[in-house]
Amino acid sequence: MKTTTDSKLDELARVPLFAGLPKVDLERIAAAGDIVDAPCGSDLTREGRLGHEVFVLLDGGAAVHAGGEVLNVVEPGSVVGELAVLGRGRRTATVTTTAPSRVFVFAGHEFRRIAHDMPVLASRLLRKVAEHLAA
Amino acid sequence: MLRRSARIELLRRVPLFEHCSQTELRRIAQRVDELALPAGRRLTREGDPAREFLVLVGGSAEVSQRGKRLRVLGGGDFLGELALVAGTPRTATVTALTPVEVLRLTARDFRALMRDVPSLQLKVLQALASRLDEPEFV
């Protein structure tokens, strides 16, 4: 029988950022955050505000807005909010759920510690941020 | 050319490398070249292929895109990582405003260093993320 922890690990293992990580690393990630339900229309981040969490969309959908424009659509498996946590702390965009969603929420300090301790994660995040900046 | 020990001391004062161990600094020192370049020299040119990573250790340089100044870099700042990591051409032109001293790593050595000294990846990542929140002009 699968426990709640096992199903949390299974869900995290399907996130591209965490793909292929050993079980011990997934367990550490799972212990560093909580899965929460976010009704449609919930703001995960607000442009210009200080942000202390990183979100992984497990189910549902979200849209990224900045300066009143929709910039991007967030699909399940995507990570949002990492720029403020890794950078100067201010949100660069508003991210709002567009459907009832399930979200894994990391505390920023835990996320930074994990990125420090898991080079493969830092490397994937580095590529993601660089591609975003270079676009 | 600085002696190995002097180069390690120089590296230790660069914020990017400040938390590196002595072994890591030795590894970096083996890979970097030091260059002294005159004011006005282009360090990168927007649109060119990315071939190197540079750390400014002295002097200042201007970052511009399509002729507009974006920011000024000073000692300890680094450049060139964005195109190397993203695999794109140079995203900006960087021009020395004063005589500058730089540490240079080839693209290949930069990638090897990111692999061998994982703590650097997070520092480069944090520097890139901070850049998104900078005012457009400084």
Side-chain angles (χ1 to χ4, degrees):
Chain A
M1 198 176 85
K2 284 213 162 190
T3 64
T4 313
T5 311
D6 285 337
S7 65
K8 194 175 178 186
L9 291 186
D10 288 346
E11 283 192 90
L12 291 174
R14 286 197 292 274
V15 172
L17 181 65
F18 307 136
L21 290 180
K23 191 173 178 206
V24 63
D25 286 350
L26 286 174
E27 283 169 344
R28 184 163 164 212
I29 292 167
D34 294 307
I35 294 177
V36 299
D37 290 320
C40 181
S42 309
D43 285 339
L44 302 180
T45 69
R46 289 199 184 140
E47 187 180 358
R49 299 272 183 93
L50 290 176
H52 304 289
E53 294 101 16
V54 176
F55 305 92
V56 181
L57 190 68
L58 299 174
D59 270 320
V64 181
H65 308 253
E69 274 183 56
V70 177
L71 299 182
N72 212 347
V73 170
V74 182
E75 299 197 331
S78 302
V79 177
V80 294
E82 78 283 12
L83 292 173
V85 163
L86 293 166
R88 290 164 197 256
R90 207 141 41 96
R91 298 295 189 196
T92 55
T94 298
V95 179
T96 309
T97 55
T98 51
S101 301
R102 292 178 69 246
V103 183
F104 181 76
V105 187
F106 266 114
H109 66 279
E110 291 284 2
F111 183 78
R112 281 192 297 270
R113 204 171 297 153
I114 284 172
H116 177 268
D117 294 345
M118 299 183 194
V120 65
L121 216 60
S123 168
R124 288 173 187 177
L125 286 164
L126 182 55
R127 180 169 289 271
K128 177 177 185 259
V129 172
E131 284 171 355
H132 176 84
L133 270 169
Chain B
M1 170 87 69
L2 289 172
R3 289 177 47 201
R4 173 79 59 81
S5 58
R7 200 186 285 179
I8 289 175
E9 281 317 302
L10 177 63
L11 288 170
R12 199 191 300 283
R13 291 198 300 272
V14 175
L16 176 63
F17 304 126
E18 68 190 345
H19 297 300
C20 289
S21 66
Q22 187 71 12
T23 312
E24 289 170 338
L25 289 173
R26 257 204 305 273
R27 206 172 289 167
I28 299 164
Q30 284 167 355
R31 295 183 185 275
V32 295
D33 293 326
E34 306 119 36
L35 302 173
L37 301 169
R41 174 68 66 88
R42 280 212 178 90
L43 307 181
T44 70
R45 193 191 299 258
E46 191 176 352
D48 277 0
R51 296 200 179 93
E52 53 197 19
F53 171 73
L54 302 172
V55 181
L56 200 56
V57 289
S60 63
E62 173 196 270
V63 182
S64 62
Q65 259 176 350
R66 290 179 288 280
K68 268 191 185 175
R69 177 184 283 194
L70 295 184
R71 59 187 180 274
V72 173
L73 304 178
D77 287 331
F78 47 88
L79 54 134
E81 74 293 345
L82 181 55
L84 288 177
V85 175
T88 59
R90 293 292 187 205
T91 54
T93 296
V94 180
T95 311
L97 292 171
T98 65
V100 293
E101 291 162 64
V102 296
L103 298 174
R104 179 176 64 181
L105 276 167
T106 65
R108 189 177 170 174
D109 281 343
F110 174 76
R111 290 193 186 102
L113 204 59
M114 291 285 118
R115 190 188 60 226
D116 296 347
V117 187
S119 62
L120 291 182
Q121 295 193 111
L122 190 60
K123 293 200 88 169
V124 172
L125 175 59
Q126 287 175 319
L128 283 182
S130 299
R131 211 173 279 173
L132 278 170
D133 196 23
E134 283 178 351
E136 196 178 357
F137 299 98
V138 291

